[in-house]
Coordinates of all heavy atoms in Angstrom, one line a residue:
I237 N 208.3 143.3 -74.0 CA 209.6 142.9 -74.7 C 210.7 143.8 -74.2 O 211.8 143.4 -73.9 CB 209.4 143.0 -76.2 CG1 208.4 141.9 -76.7 CG2 210.7 142.9 -76.9 CD1 208.1 142.0 -78.2
V238 N 210.4 145.1 -74.1 CA 211.4 146.1 -73.7 C 211.9 145.8 -72.3 O 213.1 145.8 -71.9 CB 210.9 147.6 -73.8 CG1 211.8 148.5 -73.1 CG2 210.7 147.9 -75.2
L239 N 210.9 145.5 -71.4 CA 211.2 145.2 -70.0 C 212.1 143.9 -69.9 O 213.0 143.8 -69.1 CB 209.9 145.0 -69.2 CG 209.2 146.3 -68.9 CD1 207.8 146.0 -68.2 CD2 210.0 147.2 -68.0
A240 N 211.7 142.9 -70.7 CA 212.4 141.6 -70.7 C 213.9 141.8 -71.2 O 214.8 141.3 -70.6 CB 211.7 140.6 -71.6
V241 N 214.1 142.6 -72.2 CA 215.4 142.9 -72.8 C 216.2 143.7 -71.8 O 217.4 143.3 -71.5 CB 215.3 143.6 -74.1 CG1 216.7 144.1 -74.5 CG2 214.7 142.8 -75.2
T242 N 215.6 144.7 -71.1 CA 216.3 145.5 -70.1 C 216.7 144.6 -69.0 O 217.9 144.7 -68.5 CB 215.4 146.6 -69.6 OG1 215.0 147.4 -70.7 CG2 216.1 147.5 -68.6
L243 N 215.8 143.7 -68.5 CA 216.1 142.8 -67.4 C 217.3 141.9 -67.7 O 218.2 141.7 -66.9 CB 214.9 142.1 -67.0 CG 215.1 141.1 -65.8 CD1 215.5 141.9 -64.5 CD2 213.8 140.3 -65.5
S244 N 217.2 141.4 -69.0 CA 218.3 140.5 -69.5 C 219.6 141.2 -69.5 O 220.6 140.6 -69.0 CB 217.9 140.0 -70.9 OG 219.0 139.2 -71.4
V245 N 219.7 142.4 -69.9 CA 220.9 143.2 -70.0 C 221.5 143.4 -68.6 O 222.7 143.3 -68.3 CB 220.7 144.5 -70.7 CG1 222.0 145.4 -70.5 CG2 220.5 144.3 -72.2
L246 N 220.6 143.8 -67.7 CA 221.0 144.0 -66.3 C 221.5 142.8 -65.6 O 222.5 142.8 -64.9 CB 219.8 144.6 -65.5 CG 219.3 146.0 -65.8 CD1 218.0 146.3 -65.1 CD2 220.4 147.0 -65.5
L247 N 220.8 141.7 -65.8 CA 221.3 140.4 -65.3 C 222.7 140.0 -65.8 O 223.6 139.5 -65.1 CB 220.3 139.3 -65.5 CG 219.0 139.4 -64.7 CD1 218.0 138.3 -65.2 CD2 219.3 139.2 -63.2
T248 N 222.8 140.2 -67.2 CA 224.1 139.9 -67.8 C 225.2 140.7 -67.2 O 226.3 140.2 -66.9 CB 224.0 140.1 -69.3 OG1 223.0 139.3 -69.8 CG2 225.3 139.7 -70.0
A249 N 225.0 142.0 -67.1 CA 226.0 142.9 -66.6 C 226.3 142.5 -65.1 O 227.5 142.6 -64.7 CB 225.5 144.4 -66.6
A250 N 225.3 142.1 -64.4 CA 225.6 141.7 -63.0 C 226.5 140.5 -62.9 O 227.2 140.3 -61.9 CB 224.3 141.5 -62.3
D251 N 226.4 139.6 -63.9 CA 227.1 138.4 -63.9 C 228.6 138.6 -64.4 O 229.4 137.7 -64.3 CB 226.5 137.3 -64.8 CG 225.2 136.8 -64.2 OD1 225.0 137.0 -63.0 OD2 224.3 136.3 -65.0
V252 N 228.9 139.7 -65.0 CA 230.3 140.0 -65.5 C 231.2 140.0 -64.3 O 231.0 140.8 -63.4 CB 230.3 141.3 -66.3 CG1 231.8 141.6 -66.7 CG2 229.4 141.1 -67.6
T253 N 232.3 139.3 -64.4 CA 233.3 139.2 -63.3 C 234.2 140.5 -63.4 O 234.3 141.1 -64.4 CB 234.2 138.0 -63.5 OG1 234.9 138.1 -64.7 CG2 233.4 136.7 -63.5
P254 N 234.8 140.8 -62.2 CA 235.8 141.9 -62.3 C 236.9 141.7 -63.3 O 237.3 142.7 -63.9 CB 236.3 141.9 -60.8 CG 235.3 141.3 -60.0 CD 234.7 140.2 -60.9
Q255 N 237.3 140.5 -63.5 CA 238.3 140.2 -64.5 C 237.8 140.5 -65.9 O 238.6 141.2 -66.7 CB 238.8 138.7 -64.4 CG 239.5 138.3 -63.2 CD 238.6 138.0 -62.0 OE1 237.4 138.2 -62.1 NE2 239.1 137.4 -61.0
Q256 N 236.6 140.2 -66.2 CA 236.0 140.4 -67.5 C 235.8 141.9 -67.7 O 236.1 142.5 -68.8 CB 234.7 139.7 -67.7 CG 234.2 139.7 -69.2 CD 235.2 139.1 -70.2 OE1 235.7 138.0 -70.0 NE2 235.6 139.9 -71.2
K257 N 235.4 142.6 -66.7 CA 235.2 144.1 -66.8 C 236.6 144.7 -67.1 O 236.7 145.7 -67.9 CB 234.7 144.6 -65.5 CG 233.2 144.3 -65.2 CD 232.7 144.8 -63.9 CE 231.3 144.5 -63.6 NZ 230.8 144.9 -62.3
Y258 N 237.6 144.2 -66.5 CA 239.0 144.8 -66.7 C 239.4 144.5 -68.1 O 239.9 145.4 -68.8 CB 239.9 144.1 -65.7 CG 241.3 144.7 -65.7 CD1 241.6 145.7 -64.9 CD2 242.3 144.3 -66.6 CE1 242.9 146.3 -64.8 CE2 243.6 144.8 -66.6 CZ 243.9 145.8 -65.7 OH 245.1 146.4 -65.7
I259 N 239.1 143.3 -68.6 CA 239.5 143.0 -70.0 C 238.7 143.9 -71.0 O 239.3 144.4 -71.9 CB 239.2 141.5 -70.3 CG1 240.1 140.6 -69.4 CG2 239.4 141.2 -71.8 CD1 239.6 139.2 -69.3
D260 N 237.4 144.0 -70.8 CA 236.6 144.9 -71.7 C 237.1 146.3 -71.7 O 237.0 147.0 -72.7 CB 235.1 144.8 -71.2 CG 234.5 143.4 -71.4 OD1 235.1 142.6 -72.1 OD2 233.5 143.2 -70.8
T261 N 237.6 146.8 -70.5 CA 238.0 148.2 -70.4 C 239.4 148.4 -71.1 O 239.6 149.4 -71.7 CB 238.1 148.6 -68.9 OG1 236.8 148.4 -68.3 CG2 238.5 150.1 -68.8
Y262 N 240.3 147.5 -70.9 CA 241.7 147.7 -71.3 C 242.2 146.9 -72.5 O 243.4 147.1 -72.8 CB 242.6 147.5 -70.1 CG 242.3 148.5 -69.0 CD1 241.7 148.0 -67.7 CD2 242.5 149.8 -69.1 CE1 241.4 148.9 -66.7 CE2 242.2 150.7 -68.1 CZ 241.7 150.3 -66.9 OH 241.4 151.1 -65.9
A263 N 241.4 146.0 -73.0 CA 241.9 145.2 -74.1 C 242.4 146.0 -75.3 O 243.5 145.7 -75.9 CB 240.8 144.2 -74.6
A264 N 241.7 147.0 -75.7 CA 242.2 147.9 -76.8 C 243.5 148.6 -76.5 O 244.3 148.7 -77.4 CB 241.1 148.9 -77.2
V265 N 243.7 149.0 -75.3 CA 244.9 149.6 -74.9 C 246.1 148.6 -75.0 O 247.2 148.9 -75.4 CB 244.8 150.2 -73.5 CG1 246.2 150.9 -73.1 CG2 243.7 151.3 -73.4
A266 N 245.8 147.4 -74.5 CA 246.8 146.3 -74.5 C 247.2 146.0 -76.0 O 248.4 145.7 -76.2 CB 246.3 145.1 -73.8

């Protein structure tokens, strides 16, 4: 279960676009 969750998180992070990363980083500042 732990391995499956970890893999899921890694795959999700890999799928995040540069635009979404930017939004996640700076939305609170905006």
Side-chain angles (χ1 to χ4, degrees):
I237 291 173
V238 170
L239 288 173
V241 169
T242 302
L243 181 60
S244 175
V245 169
L246 289 173
L247 288 173
T248 301
D251 290 339
V252 174
T253 64
Q255 292 86 347
Q256 189 60 54
K257 289 178 182 178
Y258 189 89
I259 295 162
D260 294 344
T261 303
Y262 297 112
V265 178

